[in-house]
């Protein structure tokens, strides 16, 4: 996932001027941001691995393992 940050349009702008983006922080090579509730969450880069987006893989993995409970429970 860290490799995905390299080509990510948003991440590259944040790294150029980190002082202008106070809602983002970098921990051990991973970029975090604040969600609407003010919680720190992992920023998922806009890139792909094996023709699937990283976000798609993250969403698909638990869905495949656990099944589909509902859109609200999946989002939670």
């Amino acid at each position: 996932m860290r490799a995905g940050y390299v080509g990510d349009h948003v991440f590259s702008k944040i790294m150029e001027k980190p002082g202008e983006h106070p809602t983002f922080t970098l921990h051990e090579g991973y970029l975090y941001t604040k969600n609407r509730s003010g919680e720190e969450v992992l920023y998922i880069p806009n890139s792909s691995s094996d023709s699937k987006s990283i976000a798609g893989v993250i969403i698909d993995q638990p869905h495949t393992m656990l099944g589909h409970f509902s859109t609200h429970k999946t989002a939670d």
Side-chain angles (χ1 to χ4, degrees):
M1 186 146 79
R2 284 185 266 193
Y5 290 137
V6 175
D8 184 274
H9 181 68
V10 173
F11 180 74
S12 61
K13 286 186 175 187
I14 294 166
M15 292 309 291
E16 286 174 14
K17 298 178 182 177
E20 293 181 8
H21 306 280
T23 59
F24 289 91
T25 55
L26 191 62
H27 298 287
E28 297 182 11
Y30 293 101
L31 184 65
Y32 292 83
T33 188
K34 304 268 178 152
N35 66 13
R36 292 180 216 179
S37 300
E39 301 167 312
E40 195 170 61
V41 295
L42 181 64
Y43 175 79
I44 307 300
N46 187 19
S47 63
S48 58
S49 173
D50 297 329
S51 75
K52 282 187 166 183
S53 72
I54 293 174
V57 170
I58 291 169
I59 291 169
D60 188 52
Q61 184 67 26
H63 183 268
T64 300
M65 292 172 54
L66 302 172
H68 191 284
F69 298 106
S70 74
T71 54
H72 296 292
K73 287 184 180 180
T74 300
D76 289 341

